[in-house]
């Protein structure tokens, strides 16, 4: 018998909660629900869900605080589902520890795709073990050998500068996930790095000229405007 993935829905709007619950059940998931932050924290600890769908505007504690508390003990993927649509809101939630951010209103197809991606990345331990064993990343024609610092596109070797390689390797190790400018700057240049993302934008422009057949229509590195970057994974090239 197939074990169903269990999704925790944290939403105080009854209509949206009902829609999410019905959609998940119809698509083969288990679903448990919480209408406030404290209930969500209790259910997350007791049920160990595969993924959490989290509204930020909860009646007792803000969703951002729920993320912070869960991240103290769990790496369970968290998808924020919120009407807050500013770049600052998205970046703050992702920097706090959310894995993805879906703005209301949204469609069923997109919701299910985000959940599949989140669950796939929840197996990060096996993903990282795979990278540790093979030391490679491959999507479409793009191939990266982490150990040899080698990048190729089809049969053509791509010459990246050391900083360009570090950026591409970081994104590839988190393929499918949005990395915020802040988290990338911190990871690449340390906690004392400037918060100005101009250095990233300059490097990314050069990287895209080398990797993308058409930089205006990227196939491998996508921009979440005002938030960060995401490297393609297998689902982008199905």
């Amino acid at each position: 018998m197939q074990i169903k993935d269990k999704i925790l829905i944290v939403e105080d709007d009854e209509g949206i909660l009902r829609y999410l619950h019905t959609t998940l059940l119809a698509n083969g998931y288990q679903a448990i629900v919480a209408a406030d932050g404290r209930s969500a924290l209790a259910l997350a600890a007791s049920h160990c869900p595969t993924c959490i769908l989290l509204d930020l505007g909860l009646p007792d504690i803000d969703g951002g605080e729920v993320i912070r508390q869960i991240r103290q003990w769990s790496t369970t993927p968290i998808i924020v589902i919120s009407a807050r649509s500013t770049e600052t809101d998205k970046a703050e939630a992702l920097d706090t520890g959310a894995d993805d951010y879906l703005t209301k209103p949204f469609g069923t197809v997109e919701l299910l795709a985000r959940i599949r991606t989140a669950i796939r990345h929840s197996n990060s331990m096996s993903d990282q073990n795979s990278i540790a064993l093979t030391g490679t990343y491959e999507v479409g024609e793009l191939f990266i050998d982490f150990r040899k610092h080698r990048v190729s596109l089809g049969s053509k070797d791509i010459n990246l500068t050391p900083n360009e390689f570090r950026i591409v390797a970081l994104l590839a190790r988190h393929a499918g996930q949005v990395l915020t400018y802040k988290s990338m700057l911190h990871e690449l240049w340390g906690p004392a790095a400037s918060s100005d993302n101009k250095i990233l934008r300059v490097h990314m422009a050069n990287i895209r000229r080398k990797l993308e057949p058409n930089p205006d229509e990227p196939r491998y590195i996508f921009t979440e405007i005002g938030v960060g970057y995401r490297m393609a994974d297998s689902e982008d090239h199905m």
Side-chain angles (χ1 to χ4, degrees), residues 50 59 63 118 123 165 197 202 220 224:
T50 311
N123 301 320
F165 181 83
N197 61 35
V202 170
Y220 299 110
E224 182 74 24

Side-chain angles (χ1 to χ4, degrees), residues 100 141 219:
D100 201 354
E141 294 188 323
R219 298 184 60 201

Side-chain angles (χ1 to χ4, degrees), residues 179-185 197 200 223-229:
L179 299 186
T180 65
Y181 302 126
K182 180 180 177 181
S183 67
M184 291 182 68
L185 289 166
N197 61 35
L200 272 179
T223 301
E224 182 74 24
I225 296 174
V227 179
Y229 298 105

Side-chain angles (χ1 to χ4, degrees), residues 65-86:
E65 179 59 26
V66 174
I67 297 171
R68 277 187 284 272
Q69 292 196 34
I70 289 175
R71 282 292 171 260
Q72 291 177 8
W73 57 272
S74 173
T75 59
T76 300
I78 299 172
I79 302 175
V80 169
I81 295 179
S82 177
R84 302 177 191 175
S85 59
T86 70

Side-chain angles (χ1 to χ4, degrees), residues 166 181-196:
R166 290 173 66 209
Y181 302 126
K182 180 180 177 181
S183 67
M184 291 182 68
L185 289 166
H186 186 281
E187 180 73 21
L188 293 164
W189 288 286
S194 168
S195 59
D196 184 356

Side-chain angles (χ1 to χ4, degrees), residues 8-10 33-45 52 54 58 60 66 70 73:
L8 170 59
I9 307 167
V10 188
V33 301
D36 58 64
R38 290 185 177 84
S39 299
L41 291 170
L43 287 172
I52 299 171
L54 175 68
L58 301 173
D60 52 352
V66 174
I70 289 175
W73 57 272

